């Protein structure tokens, strides 16, 4: 069987019938995309976090596996588009996870309008075991923190969540723009939206408390 003889949907149909060769063919077909995506993101993070290119390629394969298992043609999205999104998200999640382990952040509080590397940052911040923060920060206990983070992520779009996590983990606007293949102005606009949403939620939380 040669993958060029079948389109993605035919291969997916074979895979649903437990045709292992069809699965191998589809993985082979998407290997160049996975490798290209992993390489691009790796080049943007090289020297910044401890993760190897091979690890990102493997994460991309996991993302493709997820796409194969969960794709629904009825949603009106091309499989290529869906698979590309799943691959990118999985690789990006690995990068964010590695950076999070490095800095051990996103734990016990919400920080508004801090500054990192000369850039204004307004996103979920971290206060590690420190209950003597300035009045601009909303301190919450562990149960409230978990609930608040859940509410915040419900209010954010997928792109906002990605940019929020990247900013929280120390990535600059330029690095985020390159990772997500958008321009720096777009990153800034999204951060402004995140800031507005966080301020609204923290103000509401203060009133309720």
């Amino acid at each position: 069987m040669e993958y060029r003889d079948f389109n993605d949907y035919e291969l997916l149909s074979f895979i649903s019938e437990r045709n292992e060769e069809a699965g191998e063919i589809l993985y082979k077909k998407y290997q160049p995309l996975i490798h290209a995506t992993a390489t691009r993101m790796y080049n943007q993070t090289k020297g910044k976090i401890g993760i190897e290119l091979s690890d990102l390629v493997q994460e991309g394969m996991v993302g493709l596996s997820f796409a194969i298992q969960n794709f629904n043609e009825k949603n009106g999205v091309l499989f290529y588009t869906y698979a590309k999104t799943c691959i990118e998200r999985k690789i990006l999640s690995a990068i964010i996870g590695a950076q999070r382990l490095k800095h051990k952040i996103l734990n016990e509080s919400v920080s508004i309008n801090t500054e990192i590397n000369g850039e204004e940052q307004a996103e979920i911040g971290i206060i590690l075991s420190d209950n003597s923060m300035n009045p601009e920060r909303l301190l919450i206990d562990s149960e409230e923190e978990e609930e608040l983070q859940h509410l915040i992520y419900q209010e954010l779009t997928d792109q906002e969540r990605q940019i929020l996590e990247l900013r929280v983990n120390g990535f600059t606007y330029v690095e985020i723009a390159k990772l997500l293949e958008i321009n720096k102005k777009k990153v800034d606009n999204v951060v402004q939206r995140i800031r507005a949403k966080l301020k609204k939620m923290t103000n509401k939380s203060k009133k309720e408390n």
Side-chain angles (χ1 to χ4, degrees):
M1 182 183 287
E2 174 61 41
Y3 77 81
R4 292 184 181 85
D5 296 334
F6 300 92
N7 62 42
D8 288 350
Y9 304 99
E10 291 171 327
L11 291 172
L12 288 170
S13 178
F14 291 140
I15 292 171
S16 70
E17 298 171 356
R18 301 187 181 281
N19 185 313
E20 294 183 3
E21 187 178 2
E24 293 174 359
I25 290 169
L26 193 60
Y27 277 103
K28 179 180 178 181
K29 181 177 182 179
Y30 277 85
Q31 276 182 350
L33 173 63
I34 291 171
H35 195 274
T37 303
T39 299
R40 175 175 60 80
M41 291 189 175
Y42 175 76
N43 288 338
Q44 296 305 322
T45 60
K46 189 175 182 181
K48 190 175 182 68
I49 59 176
I51 193 166
E52 299 297 329
L53 174 59
S54 59
D55 296 326
L56 296 184
V57 170
Q58 185 60 40
E59 291 296 325
M61 295 293 286
V62 174
L64 176 59
S65 178
F66 178 88
I68 292 172
Q69 294 173 19
N70 293 276
F71 177 70
N72 187 342
E73 190 173 357
K74 294 180 180 179
N75 291 332
V77 178
L78 293 175
F79 176 74
Y80 174 85
T81 302
Y82 183 69
K84 183 174 184 292
T85 299
C86 290
I87 291 166
E88 290 175 343
R89 286 180 178 175
K90 190 61 180 174
I91 293 174
L92 189 59
S93 292
I95 291 171
I96 291 172
Q99 187 77 344
R100 183 184 295 119
L101 287 175
K102 179 180 178 181
H103 292 289
K104 295 185 182 299
I105 63 176
L106 198 57
N107 276 337
E108 297 183 36
S109 187
V110 171
S111 168
I112 302 296
N113 296 331
T114 58
E115 189 162 319
I116 292 181
N117 296 327
E119 291 185 0
E120 189 176 23
Q121 178 183 358
E123 51 253 356
I124 300 176
I126 286 311
I127 303 173
L128 295 174
S129 303
D130 184 359
N131 294 322
S132 60
M133 305 308 296
N134 65 61
E136 295 179 357
R137 291 179 175 175
L138 173 65
L139 298 181
I140 50 181
D141 63 30
S142 58
E143 292 183 0
E144 291 173 333
E145 183 268 343
E146 183 177 352
E147 180 180 357
L148 182 57
Q149 285 194 16
H150 178 69
L151 290 173
I152 288 172
Y153 274 71
Q154 282 186 322
E155 291 294 321
L156 301 181
T157 65
D158 286 345
Q159 185 179 65
E160 288 169 349
R161 284 194 291 268
Q162 287 181 334
I163 290 177
L164 170 59
E165 292 239 32
L166 289 167
R167 282 295 289 147
V168 163
N169 284 283
F171 290 89
T172 67
Y173 284 18
V174 171
E175 290 168 335
I176 294 171
K178 290 180 178 179
L179 280 169
L180 302 183
E181 294 188 300
I182 57 179
N183 60 53
K184 184 180 176 182
K185 180 61 177 177
K186 174 67 173 180
V187 176
D188 181 65
N189 290 339
V190 173
V191 169
Q192 297 304 320
R193 291 203 305 269
I194 294 171
R195 177 182 291 113
K197 290 182 179 182
L198 292 181
K199 284 185 176 180
K200 181 178 179 180
M201 293 192 69
T202 52
N203 289 337
K204 181 180 179 180
S205 180
K206 287 178 181 178
K207 290 179 182 179
E208 292 177 349
N209 294 330

